[in-house]
Amino acid sequence: MDHLTGRAVVAQGGGPTAVINQSLVGVVMEARKWPFITQVYGARFGVRGIVNEDFLDLTLATTHNLEMVAITPSSALGSTRDKPDREYCARMVEAFRRHDVRYFFYIGGNDSAETCRIVADYAREVNFDLRVIHIPKTIDNDLMVTDHCPGFGSAARFVTSAFACLDLDNCAIPGVFIGVVMGRNAGWLTAASVMARRDPKDGPHLIYVPERVFHLDRFLDEVEDVFRTHGRCVVALSEGIVAEDGQPVLLKLQGQAERDPFGNLQLSGRGTLGDTLSDLIKQRLRIQRVRCDTFGYLQRSFLGVISPVDVSEARDVGETAVYFASSLSSDGSVAIRRTGDYSVDYFLTPLDTVARLAKPLPQEYLKGSNDIADSYRDYVRPLIGAIPHFDRISAPPVALH
Amino acid sequence: MDHLTGRAVVAQGGGPTAVINQSLVGVVMEARKWPFITQVYGARFGVRGIVNEDFLDLTLATTHNLEMVAITPSSALGSTRDKPDREYCARMVEAFRRHDVRYFFYIGGNDSAETCRIVADYAREVNFDLRVIHIPKTIDNDLMVTDHCPGFGSAARFVTSAFACLDLDNCAIPGVFIGVVMGRNAGWLTAASVMARRDPKDGPHLIYVPERVFHLDRFLDEVEDVFRTHGRCVVALSEGIVAEDGQPVLLKLQGQAERDPFGNLQLSGRGTLGDTLSDLIKQRLRIQRVRCDTFGYLQRSFLGVISPVDVSEARDVGETAVYFASSLSSDGSVAIRRTGDYSVDYFLTPLDTVARLAKPLPQEYLKGSNDIADSYRDYVRPLIGAIPHFDRISAPPVALH
């Protein structure tokens, strides 16, 4: 097979993760091995760095520096929320031509895969030989084809650890607690909260994901029911939960709040889904202690909360991307296939099987109206890794005098 | 010296921490060694478990179970927000009398120390021989006399790690980010965010604590200034920041919001300090990407984010409390004295030197209007422990073609 000879460009798209730099370093280290890849450039701030020709020459980074970057959370090259159209992608290809770039590696989610697809199509149209490889990354875990996405395992580990400690907190000072988890369209990450529950009495007692319609009245009934049974209630809630008409619950509640003459449901407009539901629980269920945390950006790349399997696979998809680029004659997205309990291998899937699409939590992972099935536990367990041990006191009560 | 013979009761007060159970287990393990302490009871849900005589017999807990509980975050016996008055404390002493309790160990902050003080006074008045020892615990680190408080180091480690990753996140997708940290009256914990800054370009660029008056207009100027210099700005903000008149800024902003005819500053009333300031930055400075996270309950006892020194000292204050109770003939609060870099010893300070009082960040730890001095870094470094390494890419830019 004839190899394309020229430069490689690697870029990072979308939100940071705890391990995305492992994939970056995997690409750079592997690309530096091959004589037909003449130099490895890193595009600063994603695709914007390509159209702006804002590159770092990663051929000259030391191996030690790269290994330090690999263990650093967030996107070391910088990222962007730009969603390139055909014209933008044309400018990218022209920049590639000027710099004699023949390999483009883009680490990101389904939007990044879509960019790869448009770039690859355009390059083919204008007869510019370019190999385009998409490298999966997203804490949302919603890419098609692949068994799971690098970045998800570490975020899921954070969510599991968070709910374990918040449940212990709620045991110590009982009440209702709502934890709001990222995931605009899919409940993969929110579902990971179930891993904090060991005993049936443990929280989270109720888990709400966007794959199921959220009924406000049913939610209040369910909270009340758990609170009556356990004297407390821990709720895991996806930020993206939707109402019957398909509208996000946050928008509906805001609408409701604006019409409230008493002022106590009025919102500033962001991250307040949990606060609004807390208010409703206080008002309608007359429960005094209701607390809510929105996990925010901490959950996507917390320093020191990293899944070992996630680290390993994030590196592997980066290195494997270069291997596929050099050994196969097609573009594509690197995907993970689960081959055992627990083992994986990698394959290349066509870009259009991943681009733009989102994979919701399958129905088989849902249980009832507010729980997650054991089959999901089996799926997610190896991705999170072992979390620290913890236990409750086991001692007999003293008889009253 | 004649030892008091009878039972011991241990209880946990106030908010949970990552290491409060180390102190609990320290008390239990040490108390079980002494023949004159006939049994060790744990009061469930703090002082409420004493007046309700809701005890666990920890004499019968296995050593293994206790060691597992020790490494578990949050308060294993349960806690309470009850603030006992003299009548409540009298009921506690009567419960002690009925159960032949001669040693009372209460793990908590300055409110718990105050409870200890009232209980000890009342017992003395009614000629009931009782030894009362307060064991320090608070993530706020605001107890008098002691160099620092168990629980603070681990929370400070969380805050440092959080700002390290949020700063990396903000580098990847630049904008303004505000992180709101716990600490109603003192800025000890918010100040720990400074440990995430290694290079002068790193965030947090601005740190606001309750020990300094917060001027809204100056704040906006400072954010704008940093944003102009670095193209981004990371802010660490204590939830308890106060305005010139001593009123919490949150209350003032809410008041302002209620008078705003446009509705966009209206608040639901909790955790929205950061959101409101974010709105003001967007409106007045015309900066588009402004984000805010309120760290919430995660910061006080996150599973797996624990400072080794904090673990060790939390255990030590618990064990030492029993040693002081058996070897000294006075009540008191266990305090930590820093003896070297880094070493400590423990001593007993009178209950009224700790009860109710709060220790603010000393002026010498503040720098300018929005920064923390290097002397604070020296103070806090050993308490946090080493955080994971991370680094930026070091590679030359590619010349434009």
Side-chain angles (χ1 to χ4, degrees):
Chain A
M1 177 187 158
D2 278 345
H3 294 296
L4 292 171
T5 297
R7 295 194 170 95
V9 159
V10 58
Q12 297 173 306
T17 79
V19 299
I20 186 173
N21 291 332
Q22 289 285 357
S23 300
L24 166 66
V25 171
V27 168
V28 178
M29 298 294 244
E30 203 63 13
R32 300 204 299 189
K33 279 176 28 182
W34 300 103
F36 48 85
I37 299 181
T38 54
Q39 270 174 308
V40 189
Y41 285 1
R44 297 188 67 217
F45 301 105
V47 287
R48 213 187 307 169
I50 298 170
V51 294
N52 293 342
E53 300 179 41
D54 182 5
F55 298 119
L56 298 179
D57 187 354
L58 299 177
T59 327
L60 301 177
T62 66
T63 303
H64 176 73
N65 176 247
L66 289 174
E67 289 297 358
M68 289 296 291
V69 168
I71 60 171
T72 301
S74 188
S75 308
L77 286 171
S79 189
T80 179
R81 291 293 183 187
D82 284 3
K83 294 203 197 328
D85 56 12
R86 195 178 139 83
E87 190 269 329
Y88 195 115
C89 289
R91 287 167 62 205
M92 289 168 64
V93 172
E94 293 318 312
F96 289 154
R97 193 193 299 272
R98 275 195 295 281
H99 287 270
D100 193 27
V101 170
R102 297 295 176 169
Y103 296 90
F104 174 39
F105 300 97
Y106 197 22
I107 310 164
N110 46 19
D111 284 336
S112 305
E114 170 71 354
T115 300
C116 287
R117 195 189 61 76
I118 305 174
V119 165
D121 282 354
Y122 183 84
R124 208 171 300 116
E125 273 176 48
V126 298
N127 286 314
F128 179 70
D129 281 335
L130 181 71
R131 182 70 63 246
V132 181
I133 308 284
H134 170 252
I135 297 168
K137 172 277 339 172
T138 169
I139 65 162
D140 293 336
N141 201 41
D142 61 352
L143 296 186
M144 295 298 286
V145 185
T146 189
D147 178 77
H148 58 278
C149 305
F152 168 66
S154 296
R157 184 184 181 82
F158 184 93
V159 168
T160 299
S161 302
F163 275 96
C165 85
L166 292 167
D167 188 56
L168 291 164
D169 199 300
N170 190 257
C171 283
I173 309 182
V176 173
F177 178 87
I178 301 174
V180 181
V181 182
M182 277 185 173
R184 210 162 282 268
N185 302 309
W188 293 97
L189 191 55
T190 305
S193 63
V194 77
M195 297 304 285
R197 189 199 304 154
R198 304 182 305 177
D199 184 271
K201 287 179 195 159
D202 293 348
H205 307 94
L206 302 170
I207 302 172
Y208 299 99
V209 293
E211 285 78 2
R212 255 185 316 232
V213 170
F214 183 85
H215 299 277
L216 184 56
D217 290 331
R218 191 172 67 193
F219 165 74
L220 292 169
D221 286 347
E222 289 168 345
V223 169
E224 187 167 38
D225 195 44
V226 170
F227 191 78
R228 279 209 190 125
T229 307
H230 297 292
R232 65 190 197 88
C233 178
V234 174
V235 179
L237 194 80
S238 171
E239 63 179 12
I241 48 165
V242 290
E244 274 174 292
D245 56 3
Q247 224 191 340
V249 172
L250 177 58
L251 286 181
K252 289 190 93 73
L253 290 175
Q254 282 181 301
Q256 195 172 322
E258 280 161 19
R259 287 191 301 274
D260 180 343
F262 298 100
N264 45 14
L265 281 184
Q266 285 155 341
L267 300 168
S268 64
R270 290 137 303 137
T272 41
L273 173 63
D275 279 349
T276 313
L277 292 176
S278 300
D279 283 340
L280 286 169
I281 291 169
K282 279 187 195 171
Q283 288 164 20
R284 297 223 198 143
L285 305 186
R286 312 252 168 236
I287 296 174
Q288 268 200 319
R289 187 180 163 82
V290 184
R291 297 289 184 274
C292 170
D293 279 345
T294 301
F295 292 176
Y297 292 104
L298 295 177
Q299 67 199 296
R300 68 185 187 188
S301 56
F302 199 84
L303 188 67
V305 178
I306 295 177
S307 150
V309 160
D310 198 23
V311 168
S312 164
E313 292 177 351
R315 181 63 163 256
D316 228 359
V317 291
E319 297 195 2
T320 304
V322 178
Y323 169 76
F324 286 155
S326 62
S327 65
L328 305 177
S329 53
S330 55
D331 304 324
S333 174
V334 178
I336 301 174
R337 180 190 293 122
R338 194 180 293 226
T339 55
D341 181 14
Y342 176 81
S343 60
V344 297
D345 66 18
Y346 304 96
F347 63 104
L348 201 64
T349 183
L351 289 169
D352 60 10
T353 62
V354 175
R356 277 188 316 172
L357 305 167
K359 180 167 69 182
L361 264 181
Q363 288 297 316
E364 69 194 81
Y365 287 160
L366 305 179
K367 182 177 162 187
S369 63
N370 55 41
D371 205 357
I372 298 298
D374 286 347
S375 52
Y376 174 86
R377 284 183 175 259
D378 296 338
Y379 166 84
V380 86
R381 197 184 312 271
L383 311 184
I384 293 175
I387 65 164
H389 289 278
F390 58 97
D391 207 354
R392 302 243 156 79
I393 289 178
S394 179
V398 173
L400 280 177
H401 273 221
Chain B
M1 174 186 160
D2 278 344
H3 295 297
L4 292 171
T5 298
R7 294 195 171 93
V9 159
V10 57
Q12 297 174 306
T17 80
V19 299
I20 187 174
N21 291 331
Q22 289 286 354
S23 300
L24 166 66
V25 170
V27 168
V28 178
M29 297 295 241
E30 202 64 10
R32 301 204 298 190
K33 278 178 28 184
W34 300 102
F36 48 87
I37 298 181
T38 54
Q39 272 174 306
V40 190
Y41 286 180
R44 298 187 67 215
F45 302 106
V47 287
R48 212 187 306 170
I50 298 171
V51 294
N52 293 342
E53 300 179 41
D54 182 7
F55 298 119
L56 297 179
D57 187 353
L58 299 178
T59 327
L60 302 178
T62 65
T63 304
H64 176 72
N65 176 247
L66 289 173
E67 288 298 359
M68 289 296 291
V69 168
I71 58 171
T72 301
S74 186
S75 309
L77 286 171
S79 189
T80 178
R81 291 293 183 189
D82 284 3
K83 293 202 201 323
D85 55 12
R86 194 179 140 84
E87 191 268 327
Y88 195 115
C89 290
R91 288 167 64 203
M92 288 168 65
V93 172
E94 294 316 313
F96 289 155
R97 193 193 298 274
R98 275 195 295 283
H99 287 271
D100 193 26
V101 171
R102 298 294 175 168
Y103 297 90
F104 174 39
F105 300 98
Y106 198 21
I107 311 164
N110 46 18
D111 285 335
S112 305
E114 171 70 353
T115 300
C116 286
R117 195 189 61 76
I118 305 175
V119 165
D121 284 354
Y122 183 84
R124 208 171 300 117
E125 273 177 48
V126 298
N127 288 313
F128 179 69
D129 281 336
L130 181 71
R131 183 69 62 248
V132 180
I133 307 285
H134 170 251
I135 298 167
K137 172 274 347 173
T138 168
I139 65 162
D140 293 338
N141 202 40
D142 61 352
L143 296 186
M144 297 296 286
V145 185
T146 190
D147 179 78
H148 58 277
C149 305
F152 169 66
S154 297
R157 184 183 181 83
F158 183 94
V159 168
T160 300
S161 303
F163 275 96
C165 84
L166 292 166
D167 189 57
L168 290 164
D169 198 301
N170 191 256
C171 283
I173 309 181
V176 174
F177 178 86
I178 300 175
V180 180
V181 181
M182 276 187 174
R184 210 162 282 267
N185 303 307
W188 293 98
L189 191 56
T190 305
S193 64
V194 76
M195 297 304 285
R197 189 199 303 153
R198 304 182 305 179
D199 185 272
K201 286 180 196 159
D202 293 348
H205 308 94
L206 303 170
I207 301 173
Y208 299 98
V209 294
E211 286 79 2
R212 258 186 314 233
V213 170
F214 183 86
H215 299 277
L216 185 55
D217 290 333
R218 192 173 68 194
F219 165 76
L220 291 170
D221 285 349
E222 289 168 344
V223 168
E224 187 166 39
D225 196 45
V226 171
F227 191 80
R228 277 207 193 125
T229 308
H230 297 291
R232 64 189 197 90
C233 179
V234 174
V235 179
L237 193 81
S238 170
E239 63 179 12
I241 50 166
V242 290
E244 274 173 291
D245 57 3
Q247 225 193 339
V249 172
L250 177 58
L251 286 180
K252 288 190 94 70
L253 290 175
Q254 281 181 305
Q256 194 172 324
E258 279 161 21
R259 288 191 301 273
D260 180 343
F262 299 99
N264 45 13
L265 281 185
Q266 286 154 338
L267 300 167
S268 62
R270 291 137 305 138
T272 42
L273 173 63
D275 279 350
T276 313
L277 292 175
S278 300
D279 282 340
L280 286 168
I281 292 169
K282 280 187 195 173
Q283 289 164 20
R284 298 224 198 139
L285 305 185
R286 312 252 167 235
I287 296 174
Q288 269 201 317
R289 187 181 163 82
V290 184
R291 297 289 186 273
C292 171
D293 279 345
T294 301
F295 291 178
Y297 292 104
L298 295 178
Q299 69 198 296
R300 69 183 185 189
S301 56
F302 199 83
L303 187 69
V305 178
I306 296 177
S307 151
V309 161
D310 198 23
V311 168
S312 165
E313 293 178 350
R315 182 62 164 255
D316 230 359
V317 292
E319 297 196 1
T320 303
V322 178
Y323 170 75
F324 286 156
S326 61
S327 65
L328 305 177
S329 53
S330 56
D331 304 325
S333 175
V334 179
I336 301 173
R337 182 191 291 122
R338 195 181 295 228
T339 54
D341 183 12
Y342 176 79
S343 59
V344 297
D345 66 17
Y346 304 96
F347 62 103
L348 202 65
T349 183
L351 288 168
D352 60 9
T353 62
V354 176
R356 278 186 317 174
L357 304 166
K359 181 167 69 182
L361 264 181
Q363 288 297 317
E364 70 193 79
Y365 287 160
L366 304 179
K367 183 177 163 188
S369 63
N370 55 40
D371 205 356
I372 299 298
D374 287 347
S375 52
Y376 174 85
R377 282 181 176 263
D378 295 338
Y379 165 84
V380 85
R381 197 185 312 271
L383 311 184
I384 294 175
I387 65 163
H389 289 279
F390 57 95
D391 207 355
R392 301 243 156 79
I393 289 178
S394 179
V398 173
L400 280 177
H401 273 221

